[in-house]
Amino acid sequence: MTGIGARWRVGALIVASVLLAGPSASHDGYIAKPLPADAPQEIVPNRVMTWNICNPCKGSGQNAGRAAEIATYAPQVIGLQEACVGDVERIRDHLQYLYGLVYHVEYGSVLQSWSRCGGAPWSPGGFGQAILSAAPMTDHVNVEYPDGGSEDRGFMAVTTLVDGRPVRVFNTHLAQRSQQPVRAKQTGVLAKAVARHDSTIVLGDFNAVPDAAELAGMWGLAADADPECGPSAAGTCEPTTDWRSKFDYIFLRGLAPLKRGVHLTPYSDHDLVQADLKWA
């Protein structure tokens, strides 16, 4: 075989291997992390997730690892907190090109922070919340709380599909855990917006344990996806953070949980929380 023929055959074998590998070959130099054998092959239409992805949490391959964590559960809707626009863009791309999971995205940035998110000095990256949804999203709003505490905070909301039906989805991150009076004001603003809708999913990091007084307004409107967890101190609430407190919630109004899970992850100081839902 001539040198040209040999090179042609090698090239053809490489192309064929890439085609056979499909969307999970590689992206931006990252190889798709193998998923558990029971990981869904397609997006689960009634599954939602909330995850504070932790910023600044530094480390090589963070966004590829985060994409693998999300792909393990393949939810229909994902609410991310402490999210830089650039990180979300890379997570979204990894989900598509490494795992074949395609999402729309809307952002709820509350500040522009070069120190947190990088970017050009004259165009720092947006920081705040983001929602990824397998279905298109409409009626996007972004609200910054009048008092964010030590850092700007807010909520975002979109209308999208969960289990084939439209629902209003909120995503929020409340003030730091030492700032209870500020959080009380913030939940008042959020609860007023949630109350306008009969069917809602409220995702987020509330920085408050279930029996905290500032969550009373939310408990009056909705139940958590964990049916064992409620505002009573006697309730059994699975922790969702590295310091083993429950701060992360999937509040439901007009929907009910089928099953839910809290999953430890090396990519954040918050656990990944997901739930499969049914219409009530």
Side-chain angles (χ1 to χ4, degrees), residues 157-181:
V158 301
T159 298
T160 189
L161 299 180
V162 171
D163 202 20
R165 293 173 58 179
V167 62
R168 194 69 171 161
V169 179
F170 292 79
N171 183 21
T172 192
H173 185 195
L174 300 190
Q176 294 179 1
R177 46 186 161 159
S178 62
Q179 300 172 333
Q180 187 272 338

Side-chain angles (χ1 to χ4, degrees), residues 45 54 104 146 209 253 258 266:
C54 184
H104 304 266
V209 294
R253 182 173 165 88
L258 288 170

Side-chain angles (χ1 to χ4, degrees), residues 40-43 70-72 74 92 95-97 99-103:
Q41 299 298 307
E42 298 179 346
I43 289 170
I70 293 170
T72 297
R92 181 193 185 196
L95 285 166
Q96 179 172 354
Y97 296 112
Y99 301 103
L101 303 175
V102 179
Y103 288 96

Side-chain angles (χ1 to χ4, degrees), residues 1 14 131 196 225 280:
M1 182 181 292
I14 292 172
I131 293 177
R196 299 190 185 107

Side-chain angles (χ1 to χ4, degrees), residues 15-255:
V15 171
S17 66
V18 171
L19 290 174
L20 287 172
S24 59
S26 65
H27 180 249
D28 286 349
Y30 292 101
I31 304 299
K33 178 182 176 181
L35 302 181
D38 59 351
Q41 299 298 307
E42 298 179 346
I43 289 170
V44 182
N46 68 329
R47 180 169 293 170
V48 300
M49 174 185 293
T50 185
W51 191 16
N52 181 321
I53 58 175
C54 184
N55 178 285
C57 281
K58 306 298 183 183
S60 176
Q62 284 282 94
N63 291 321
R66 290 163 174 162
E69 296 284 272
I70 293 170
T72 297
Y73 306 101
Q76 173 81 2
V77 173
I78 307 152
L80 300 177
Q81 304 89 41
E82 290 199 45
C84 291
V85 169
D87 287 335
V88 176
E89 288 174 343
R90 285 183 280 275
I91 292 169
R92 181 193 185 196
D93 285 350
H94 290 324
L95 285 166
Q96 179 172 354
Y97 296 112
L98 294 180
Y99 301 103
L101 303 175
V102 179
Y103 288 96
H104 304 266
V105 64
E106 293 286 359
Y107 295 98
S109 299
V110 292
L111 57 90
Q112 302 294 310
S113 175
W114 187 88
S115 62
R116 280 186 176 271
C117 298
W122 58 89
S123 181
F127 174 80
Q129 288 74 247
I131 293 177
L132 285 74
S133 175
M137 291 174 275
T138 60
D139 303 319
H140 171 217
V141 299
N142 190 36
V143 176
E144 188 171 334
Y145 293 123
D147 183 357
S150 57
E151 179 180 82
D152 293 348
R153 297 289 166 93
F155 74 83
M156 62 181 299
V158 301
T159 298
T160 189
L161 299 180
V162 171
D163 202 20
R165 293 173 58 179
V167 62
R168 194 69 171 161
V169 179
F170 292 79
N171 183 21
T172 192
H173 185 195
L174 300 190
Q176 294 179 1
R177 46 186 161 159
S178 62
Q179 300 172 333
Q180 187 272 338
V182 177
R183 287 197 305 277
K185 296 177 184 177
Q186 292 172 347
T187 53
V189 174
L190 176 63
K192 185 176 180 179
V194 170
R196 299 190 185 107
H197 304 274
D198 293 331
S199 301
T200 60
I201 300 169
V202 186
L203 310 170
D205 172 8
F206 284 74
N207 269 320
V209 294
D211 61 343
E214 64 268 30
L215 293 190
M218 288 303 304
W219 289 118
L221 291 171
D224 188 59
D226 181 353
E228 301 299 320
C229 183
S232 169
T236 303
C237 300
E238 189 171 0
T240 65
T241 66
D242 282 0
W243 48 97
R244 310 327 296 153
S245 295
K246 179 177 172 67
F247 282 178
D248 304 272
Y249 297 82
I250 299 176
F251 282 113
L252 303 175
R253 182 173 165 88
L255 297 97

